[in-house]
């Protein structure tokens, strides 16, 4: 803000320095951590309509690769795929205040549709497009 | 391929689901699909005309999903002999469709076997099962015409499709002509009639859904038995049974109910 007084500017400078120190410490802690957690990425989960015993009413597909997102959104986020700008800010705030502000979430950034072909109770056939059903890409939000 | 697929997918589920877990999973997936319960179709012949046509649409949508759009399969895979008679329709309604639904013909007996002066055939479709929030953007009535050897190749018939407006016990029903066209005796394939307006009328007024009537005339204007002209009815092969197909666009966002 252009309206900030000298005292406030001093306060901001103090906060920035504190934040940078926190970041530096967190970075060291992250890198020296013994258990290297897996980074946020896409994992496959196959939903099998056949295994669910639904072959009598679902004509196609037999199942679909639904995918899910799993992994940690750890500092530095720039090295992770598809991290949003806000997620990077979220990480910084988390380092400053880890007790109250959570890390960014590993979640889908791109979703795809699938079509399912099935019989209804009256033996009519329905071909329905389900939007946002399959994860195409994961990222940190 | 199965082994390969199994290896890829087994990375997540390492054990068989217990019956309770399986039921839970079934319930969750049904919720995602927006279905209140697992459908239990009575007659689910996957090789009947409508399911095969729908599978053809499904394949067209699946194979071209990553492209800009998909084309309406004007030559269905189940048309094994001869070119289809149906004219190509605008693809846009298929590209825009959120849902496509086929309806089986509910009329058990063809009226053509009854001693009536005017040969005709009746068709009825139950549109009450259409999920809420879906608006009809296009609808077709499809009937298969076989090649008839006993007829001259250059012989023609006029085929007319009517919407039944009112039925009477003592006289013929009140009809509204939907479409009429001339077909050759030698032609073979699916005949497609646009019934979009009629379908919308039936959806809005379910009590007025009295079905369709089809009538055939010779060039002289004489009533002709549809069977004689090669139009497949209830006694024909399952893969050539008449059916109705409708294309829908969602009018509201589906919100899953809280459980």
């Amino acid at each position: 803000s252009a309206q900030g007084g000298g005292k406030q500017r001093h306060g901001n400078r103090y906060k920035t320095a504190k934040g940078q120190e926190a970041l530096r410490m967190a970075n060291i802690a992250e890198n020296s951590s013994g258990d290297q957690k897996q980074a946020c990425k896409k994992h496959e989960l196959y939903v099998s309509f056949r295994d669910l015993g639904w072959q009598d009413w679902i004509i196609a597909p037999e199942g679909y690769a639904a995918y899910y997102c799993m992994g940690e959104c750890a500092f530095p986020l720039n090295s992770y795929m598809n991290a949003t700008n806000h997620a990077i800010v979220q990480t910084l705030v988390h380092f400053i205040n880890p007790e109250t502000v959570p890390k960014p979430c590993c979640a889908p950034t791109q979703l795809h549709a699938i079509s399912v072909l099935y019989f209804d109770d009256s033996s009519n056939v329905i071909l329905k497009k389900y939007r946002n059903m399959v994860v195409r890409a994961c990222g940190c939000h | 391929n199965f082994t390969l697929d199994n290896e890829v997918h087994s990375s997540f589920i390492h054990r068989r689901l217990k019956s309770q877990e399986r039921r839970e999973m079934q319930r969750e997936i049904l919720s995602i699909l927006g279905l209140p319960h697992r459908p239990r179709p009575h007659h689910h012949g996957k090789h009947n005309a409508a399911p095969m046509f729908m599978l053809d649409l499904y394949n067209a949508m699946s194979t071209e999903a990553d492209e800009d759009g998909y084309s309406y399969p004007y030559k269905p895979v189940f048309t094994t002999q001869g070119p289809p008679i149906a004219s190509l329709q605008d693809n846009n309604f298929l590209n825009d469709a959120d849902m496509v639904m086929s309806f089986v013909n509910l009329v058990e007996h063809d009226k053509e076997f009854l001693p009536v002066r005017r040969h005709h055939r009746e068709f009825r479709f139950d549109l009450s099962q259409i999920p809420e929030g879906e608006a009809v953007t296009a609808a077709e009535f499809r009937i298969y015409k076989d090649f008839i050897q006993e007829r001259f190749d250059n012989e023609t018939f006029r085929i007319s499709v009517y919407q039944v407006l009112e039925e009477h016990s003592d006289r013929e029903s009140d009809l509204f002509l939907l479409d009429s066209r001339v077909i050759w005796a030698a032609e073979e394939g699916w005949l497609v009639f646009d019934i979009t307006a009629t379908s919308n009328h039936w959806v809005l007024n379910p009590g007025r859904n009295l079905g369709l009537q089809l009538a055939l005339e010779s060039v002289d204007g004489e009533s002709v038995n549809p069977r004689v002209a090669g139009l497949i009815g209830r006694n024909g092969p399952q893969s050539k049974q008449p059916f109705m197909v409708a294309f829908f666009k969602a009018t509201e966002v589906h919100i899953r109910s809280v459980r």
Side-chain angles (χ1 to χ4, degrees):
Chain A
S1 169
Q3 290 172 343
K7 208 171 185 180
Q8 196 178 343
R9 207 176 295 138
H10 171 78
N12 283 346
R13 231 188 345 251
Y14 174 74
K15 276 184 186 166
T16 310
K18 191 182 167 191
Q20 278 173 351
E21 178 63 13
L23 269 177
R24 195 180 65 81
M25 295 302 287
N27 199 9
I28 292 164
E30 197 84 11
N31 290 336
S32 62
S33 171
D35 54 334
Q36 287 279 323
K37 285 182 181 168
Q38 200 180 36
C40 171
K41 64 178 179 184
K42 195 171 84 170
H43 296 259
E44 190 169 328
L45 167 65
Y46 188 75
V47 176
S48 170
F49 296 138
R50 178 179 284 271
D51 288 351
L52 291 171
W54 286 349
Q55 307 97 300
D56 62 327
W57 66 276
I58 293 193
I59 303 168
E62 277 191 9
Y64 72 101
Y67 299 110
Y68 63 99
C69 300
M70 194 182 77
E72 201 172 10
C73 292
F75 187 82
L77 265 194
N78 281 326
S79 61
Y80 290 79
M81 60 175 187
N82 289 330
T84 60
N85 286 342
H86 180 264
I88 294 165
V89 176
Q90 180 87 23
T91 316
L92 297 175
V93 184
H94 164 75
F95 282 141
I96 294 164
N97 208 342
E99 299 300 320
T100 50
V101 182
K103 280 183 180 178
C105 293
C106 177
T109 50
Q110 249 187 312
L111 292 159
H112 260 200
I114 61 159
S115 295
V116 182
L117 185 66
Y118 60 93
F119 284 107
D120 69 5
D121 288 323
S122 308
S123 300
N124 297 321
V125 182
I126 296 174
L127 172 59
K128 199 165 179 179
K129 196 189 292 176
Y130 291 91
R131 299 185 194 281
N132 304 330
M133 282 284 277
V134 176
V135 176
R136 192 171 216 199
C138 296
C140 295
H141 284 255
Chain B
N1 263 352
F2 175 76
T3 315
L4 185 68
D5 281 351
N6 208 25
E7 280 169 7
V8 170
H9 305 313
S10 63
S11 61
F12 185 79
I13 298 172
H14 298 282
R15 60 178 174 82
R16 280 183 74 86
L17 293 173
K18 291 174 193 163
S19 56
Q20 176 62 24
E21 288 173 326
R22 191 176 135 110
R23 273 198 296 276
E24 294 273 340
M25 189 157 175
Q26 283 174 333
R27 206 171 57 172
E28 294 300 331
I29 302 288
L30 280 175
S31 168
I32 291 170
L33 296 177
L35 297 170
H37 62 272
R38 169 203 201 285
R40 296 200 179 275
H42 306 296
H43 314 287
H44 50 272
K46 289 178 182 173
H47 299 290
N48 290 358
M52 288 179 75
F53 170 81
M54 296 293 280
L55 189 59
D56 206 30
L57 278 187
Y58 169 84
N59 288 331
M61 289 169 86
S62 302
T63 53
E64 298 179 43
D66 290 333
E67 295 174 20
D68 291 339
Y70 28 78
S71 55
Y72 194 55
Y74 62 93
K75 189 180 180 191
V77 287
F78 53 95
T79 304
T80 52
Q81 296 169 357
I85 302 170
S87 60
L88 252 179
Q89 298 216 2
D90 188 359
N91 286 338
N92 288 340
F93 64 82
L94 181 61
N95 286 326
D96 293 343
D98 293 307
M99 191 179 90
V100 188
M101 194 167 172
S102 71
F103 301 87
V104 288
N105 177 26
L106 300 174
V107 177
E108 290 294 327
H109 304 289
D110 288 337
K111 284 275 172 67
E112 64 188 86
F113 299 114
L114 299 174
V116 288
R117 274 183 294 117
R118 178 178 163 274
H119 292 285
H120 68 271
R121 199 176 275 178
E122 290 185 354
F123 305 90
R124 282 206 189 202
F125 306 99
D126 179 12
L127 273 63
S128 66
Q129 299 292 316
I130 297 170
E132 276 183 38
E134 301 283 350
V136 179
T137 54
E140 296 172 343
F141 167 63
R142 294 181 153 247
I143 185 165
Y144 197 87
K145 187 201 167 301
D146 250 339
F147 172 71
I148 298 293
Q149 251 177 349
E150 300 84 50
R151 294 278 172 170
F152 297 111
D153 283 358
N154 60 354
E155 192 176 355
T156 58
F157 305 101
R158 174 164 291 278
I159 183 168
S160 302
V161 174
Y162 303 88
Q163 176 186 336
V164 179
L165 299 178
E166 205 161 335
E167 288 174 324
H168 306 284
S169 55
D170 55 340
R171 59 187 168 94
E172 288 193 7
S173 304
D174 295 339
L175 305 172
F176 176 73
L177 179 65
L178 296 174
D179 197 1
S180 181
R181 72 180 69 153
V182 174
I183 54 168
W184 294 87
E187 281 180 303
E188 182 179 4
W190 287 94
L191 292 163
V192 183
F193 296 91
D194 184 350
I195 54 165
T196 306
T198 301
S199 304
N200 271 311
H201 177 70
W202 287 343
V203 170
L204 294 173
N205 309 284
R208 310 299 295 268
N209 181 356
L210 302 174
L212 300 173
Q213 255 194 38
L214 181 145
L216 221 69
E217 285 178 350
S218 66
V219 280
D220 307 325
E222 279 182 31
S223 179
V224 177
N225 189 327
R227 188 163 40 92
V228 174
L231 289 172
I232 301 292
R234 302 286 300 186
N235 294 332
Q238 288 300 307
S239 62
K240 293 177 179 174
Q241 288 295 310
F243 64 94
M244 177 190 150
V245 60
F247 300 82
F248 300 88
K249 183 90 185 148
T251 54
E252 57 191 56
V253 179
H254 165 69
I255 299 166
R256 285 189 294 280
S257 56
V258 177
R259 287 166 291 133

